[in-house]
Amino acid sequence: MELRFRQIHLDFHTCEHLSDIGSRFDAEEFAETLHSAGVDSITCFARCHHGWLYYPSDRYPEKIHPYLKNKNLLPEMIEACHRRGIRVPIYITVQWDEQIRHEHPEWRVMDANGKVGDGPYTDSFYQDLCVNSPYRDYLKNITDEILQTLPVDGLFFDIVSPRDCSCRYCMESMQQQGIDAYDPVQRQVFAQQSIDSFKLDMSAFIRNQNQDCSIFYNGSHINPSIRSSLAAYTHFELESLPSGSWGYLHFPVVMRYARTLGLDCLAHTGKFHTEWGDFHSFKNREALEYECFHMLALGAKCLIGDQLEPCGKLSQPVYDLVGSVYHQVQQKEPWCCSAKAVTEIGVLAPHGFYNGSHLHLPDSLLGAVKMLEDRSYQFDILDEFSDFQSYKLLILPDDVAIDNTLEEKLNHYAAQGGAVLASFESGLSADGKFMRFIPALPLSHQTTDLDGKPVRGKFYVSNNYADYLIPKGDIGKGLPETEHVMYAKGLEVQATEGSEVLLPAISSYFNRNWRHFCSHRQTPSSSTPSYDAVIRRGNVIYFAHPIFKIYNERGAKWCKTLIYNALNMLLPRPLVSHTGPTTLHLYLNQQCSASRYILHALHYIPLHKSNIDIIEDIIDLYQIPIEVAVSQDVKQVLCFSSGTSLPFEHSNGVLYFTLPKLHGHEMIEISY
Ligand SMILES: [Zn+2]
């Protein structure tokens, strides 16, 4: 099922301390405001985090919001929207419900110390309910009633994530299954199984009554743990409000992973200046444009989050803003329908990505994504279950843990001629040995601190254990042949026989500590080579330093240059390249049925003007030379915004053309 492109998620968490709820709601005006703004789908509320219902429930009349003026709020929204062809998926809260947690304290998630939520004096509804408790029956009853009484296009279940729970129901269940509830690791596995079985159970329950509706469970993030409940989903929604706690990097990371899993993706942002619940605030239009066009470029559909004010009337200025962007999206859609990303590099996700939340993306992965995007490499993020064969090159950034199955898969990939760029501890097994294709062996002695703890990969304020690289040859292109600091110590290794040491690490005079130190930061170079730092064997290049983390932590451009040089050696002709600034990002998609590639160009610069990144301006670029590897016979290169054909050259499988002007976002159609 292909999702709609112009969606709204209309939050409506409305407490009982407000009256006249929905007093200014007018179904026709509501739907017409959406229609005029180009909206083609809106997720509306059956039940909110405060625990109130917004439809005429017969089963739980006491749960209908006490001050709701029109008990048919949701049914009337759906009916008026349907008359205009607008889909209306229905929102149901799961793990947060302010009323249920008071009525049934025994249904709450309890941690291993007996602690439940943030205590009685918290000013939020962020207190989890356990889906292993009888609360699940309540959820099913509500869902059943909605399916029985309302036309259901889709169901959006919110707040559905694994929770480490030691409530009586979880403990009984663990005991029955022979799980040691006292062991935090076993409890975590049980938590994942519990949430998976909840999702699969709920989807089966829905399918008994409705074969077609879309179904999504929101956990604010998508990572490899979703694989075990994939069958419960019809599509993915990527909650990722860049000006909220997600930041601008979360969406590209998660989307580059999610799009490899085979389901259509819908990306969330918000009309809010910051995030959900930021009433009467406005996203800068330039930022909203960037966020939506970025979604199109990465192959996602667009969703803008809003919150309906208690009176029930949509804010016209908000929908003027939404419309100013969605009318542009509407024009661009035909070039985005069924488009598939064309990629050649796979970045294998470090283990930290497998279970973490949206707040904790691994530094090594972030460093790799920043570097690759800044040079418009075409890449996906993969996990150990992904198919590697369609990628020319795999990157294993810094800390990709390897087990036997993955080792076999990677050895096979390298043996088939696939190129690999690995760094630091990637490829190191639990017993401290490298997998076969890494051309290095760890030395028996690894530097430790004064307490005897290993220092490799750690960052110290004064860079106490820093060492140096002297770039030269192909790997050092563009850098002066002199010491360049590496802010964190690498894994001390020696090259295996038959491999080539491209660069050694150069040690400092001494490691900085209270006994001896020099100046404000790291001790300078002693000019003495120590361990082997950059090693090549055939199609594999290995960096001993945590070079991706160093780039993410300190932004040292020479780290990026070294990686670009290594990529040039392994992948001399990338799919896409340009000579514009690093803030210009290009994304190559293909619409096979229309025999064309669509190259998206984006140039928006988020600036750290406050504790969130802000976009206020569009800075135009002119006369950008672009190269795209295209094997087909190119018929035409067309610029979307001007509608003009661009002059091009096509030789030896490479298409050369110049983009005359870029104002924010451009699509270049390459027909063959
Ligand atoms: Zn529980």
Side-chain angles (χ1 to χ4, degrees):
M1 180 190 73
E2 186 154 13
L3 300 164
R4 303 237 176 141
F5 276 88
R6 290 161 275 128
Q7 307 205 22
I8 293 288
H9 177 107
L10 192 66
D11 256 9
F12 199 49
H13 305 292
T14 309
C15 72
E16 60 282 9
H17 306 292
L18 302 176
S19 56
D20 292 336
I21 305 305
S23 58
R24 295 179 68 200
F25 174 74
D26 177 298
E28 289 308 307
E29 182 191 64
F30 176 85
E32 196 46 43
T33 303
L34 296 169
H35 181 70
S36 301
V39 173
D40 58 13
S41 178
I42 179 166
T43 304
C44 289
F45 268 50
R47 174 162 165 267
C48 76
H49 291 330
H50 289 282
W52 297 119
L53 303 179
Y54 302 93
Y55 67 93
S57 172
D58 284 335
R59 300 189 196 178
Y60 300 99
E62 74 285 3
K63 295 286 183 215
I64 300 171
H65 194 293
Y67 300 111
L68 184 63
K69 288 285 170 196
N70 176 353
K71 305 285 183 268
N72 283 307
L73 184 73
L74 176 63
E76 287 187 16
M77 284 175 170
I78 296 172
E79 200 189 334
C81 284
H82 278 179
R83 275 203 296 276
R84 286 163 180 79
I86 299 171
R87 273 184 99 237
V88 189
I90 293 173
Y91 176 101
I92 300 174
T93 182
V94 175
Q95 282 166 309
W96 295 340
D97 182 311
E98 177 67 1
Q99 291 184 63
I100 296 290
R101 81 173 168 98
H102 289 303
E103 289 167 16
H104 291 281
E106 75 283 11
W107 293 356
R108 295 180 296 179
V109 167
M110 182 190 285
D111 76 10
N113 298 313
K115 191 166 174 280
V116 176
D118 291 333
Y121 299 108
T122 182
D123 63 351
S124 76
F125 35 59
Y126 308 148
Q127 308 228 12
D128 300 319
L129 292 161
C130 181
V131 294
N132 285 340
S133 72
Y135 176 53
R136 188 187 294 206
D137 300 328
Y138 176 69
L139 284 169
K140 279 186 171 171
N141 267 334
I142 292 272
T143 306
D144 185 59
E145 182 174 50
I146 289 167
L147 287 164
Q148 299 280 338
T149 59
L150 295 169
V152 178
D153 296 330
L155 291 167
F156 180 98
F157 292 96
D158 201 16
I159 317 299
V160 187
S161 293
R163 299 285 188 248
D164 178 0
C165 184
S166 296
C167 76
R168 56 178 274 215
Y169 306 101
C170 284
M171 288 187 76
E172 276 169 23
S173 182
M174 283 188 270
Q175 208 156 8
Q176 279 164 14
Q177 295 176 45
I179 293 165
D180 179 6
Y182 194 68
D183 175 0
V185 176
Q186 291 195 42
R187 264 201 328 270
Q188 204 58 51
V189 173
F190 173 77
Q192 184 65 48
Q193 287 167 352
S194 296
I195 209 71
D196 288 347
S197 79
F198 165 74
K199 290 188 271 191
L200 293 163
D201 176 33
M202 183 61 95
S203 288
F205 179 76
I206 295 162
R207 283 291 177 251
N208 275 336
Q209 301 184 57
N210 184 320
Q211 292 300 306
D212 309 315
C213 70
S214 60
I215 305 172
F216 180 72
Y217 302 90
N218 186 39
S220 305
H221 186 49
I222 286 176
N223 63 26
S225 69
I226 206 157
R227 282 190 183 272
S228 45
S229 60
L230 214 49
Y233 294 82
T234 54
H235 67 286
F236 291 138
E237 301 198 23
L238 282 60
E239 187 186 20
S240 185
L241 279 59
S243 46
S245 54
W246 291 265
Y248 272 103
L249 263 175
H250 178 265
F251 167 63
V253 169
V254 171
M255 183 61 195
R256 286 176 189 277
Y257 173 68
R259 71 185 183 185
T260 67
L261 297 175
L263 295 180
D264 206 11
C265 295
L266 170 67
H268 288 204
T269 180
K271 70 93 198 172
F272 312 104
H273 176 59
T274 59
E275 62 173 284
W276 302 112
D278 185 4
F279 284 110
H280 311 296
S281 70
F282 296 86
K283 174 74 54 80
N284 297 332
R285 180 178 154 173
E286 295 77 9
L288 194 60
E289 283 185 0
Y290 168 59
E291 291 159 19
C292 289
F293 301 156
H294 194 195
M295 295 168 190
L296 298 180
L298 279 167
K301 274 68 182 180
C302 310
L303 180 147
I304 300 173
D306 182 19
Q307 173 144 8
L308 185 63
E309 290 169 32
C311 69
K313 185 180 165 71
L314 291 172
S315 158
Q316 191 56 51
V318 167
Y319 285 84
D320 290 344
L321 173 66
V322 168
S324 73
V325 178
Y326 272 0
H327 288 131
Q328 296 181 67
V329 171
Q330 190 167 14
Q331 289 181 331
K332 295 177 190 217
E333 270 168 37
W335 285 266
C336 303
C337 289
S338 307
K340 293 274 173 282
V342 185
T343 54
E344 60 185 346
I345 296 177
V347 178
L348 211 48
H351 210 70
F353 182 61
Y354 278 53
N355 295 303
S357 79
H358 71 283
L359 299 172
H360 301 288
L361 296 176
D363 294 335
S364 53
L365 185 60
L366 292 175
V369 169
K370 288 176 187 174
M371 286 190 189
L372 295 176
E373 292 207 322
D374 280 2
R375 215 176 184 218
S376 290
Y377 280 106
Q378 305 301 306
F379 67 100
D380 291 319
I381 293 174
L382 310 177
D383 65 22
E384 60 193 282
F385 305 106
S386 306
D387 177 13
F388 299 159
Q389 295 310 316
S390 58
Y391 300 93
K392 288 183 184 160
L393 187 146
L394 292 182
I395 296 178
L396 280 59
D398 297 350
D399 42 14
V400 178
I402 304 292
D403 63 13
N404 291 340
T405 316
L406 183 55
E407 174 169 13
E408 204 171 300
K409 197 168 164 178
L410 284 166
N411 281 331
H412 178 71
Y413 174 80
Q416 301 284 102
V420 176
L421 193 164
S423 59
F424 192 51
E425 294 181 345
S426 289
L428 200 62
S429 65
D431 58 2
K433 290 193 184 117
F434 268 124
M435 44 194 293
R436 277 207 311 279
F437 71 81
I438 300 278
L441 298 167
L443 299 175
S444 54
H445 173 77
Q446 300 284 323
T447 303
T448 54
D449 64 13
L450 295 178
D451 296 319
K453 295 195 175 113
V455 299
R456 63 173 186 262
K458 289 187 185 156
F459 291 88
Y460 298 79
V461 174
S462 302
N463 309 319
N464 298 32
Y465 300 92
D467 50 29
Y468 302 89
L469 294 179
I470 302 180
K472 61 179 182 188
D474 285 344
I475 196 78
K477 264 187 188 161
L479 296 170
E481 196 173 322
T482 185
E483 279 85 346
H484 288 69
V485 62
M486 299 303 280
Y487 290 107
K489 173 82 77 200
L491 177 67
E492 291 158 89
V493 299
Q494 68 178 68
T496 53
E497 228 178 87
S499 52
E500 182 190 358
V501 178
L502 301 178
L503 301 176
I506 307 294
S507 57
S508 61
Y509 282 105
F510 50 76
N511 293 322
R512 186 182 178 105
N513 62 45
W514 66 275
R515 290 196 181 92
H516 41 45
F517 53 89
C518 176
S519 191
H520 300 288
R521 287 289 185 268
Q522 66 269 16
T523 317
S525 164
S526 68
S527 307
T528 314
S530 49
Y531 56 99
D532 297 335
V534 187
I535 304 165
R536 176 174 193 172
R537 190 178 61 210
N539 267 353
V540 178
I541 294 180
Y542 169 76
F543 286 80
H545 287 93
I547 191 163
F548 295 101
K549 280 188 196 171
I550 294 175
Y551 185 70
N552 190 56
E553 181 81 19
R554 301 283 160 94
K557 190 181 167 187
W558 53 90
C559 290
K560 192 159 73 167
T561 305
L562 289 165
I563 289 295
Y564 289 170
N565 288 339
L567 289 171
N568 279 345
M569 292 159 76
L570 296 171
L571 194 69
R573 165 56 67 189
L575 267 174
V576 174
S577 61
H578 66 81
T579 52
T582 57
T583 46
L584 166 64
H585 294 173
L586 303 177
Y587 309 79
L588 187 64
N589 293 320
Q590 186 175 22
Q591 286 178 304
C592 289
S593 57
S595 300
R596 63 187 181 187
Y597 292 100
I598 310 297
L599 184 72
H600 290 256
L602 279 168
H603 191 245
Y604 293 85
I605 308 175
L607 291 177
H608 211 55
K609 293 192 182 200
S610 65
N611 63 358
I612 56 169
D613 290 341
I614 302 290
I615 295 174
E616 289 182 7
D617 304 299
I618 299 176
I619 301 169
D620 293 347
L621 296 178
Y622 296 90
Q623 300 299 327
I624 312 152
I626 293 174
E627 299 179 16
V628 184
V630 181
S631 56
Q632 297 92 337
D633 284 336
V634 176
K635 290 189 180 139
Q636 185 177 242
V637 178
L638 194 74
C639 182
F640 170 82
S641 60
S642 64
T644 52
S645 282
L646 303 178
F648 66 89
E649 272 181 51
H650 191 206
S651 63
N652 296 325
V654 183
L655 178 73
Y656 303 83
F657 62 91
T658 297
L659 181 62
K661 181 184 175 183
L662 172 59
H663 178 71
H665 176 233
E666 184 60 85
M667 295 189 299
I668 300 122
E669 176 189 323
I670 302 165
S671 309
Y672 53 83

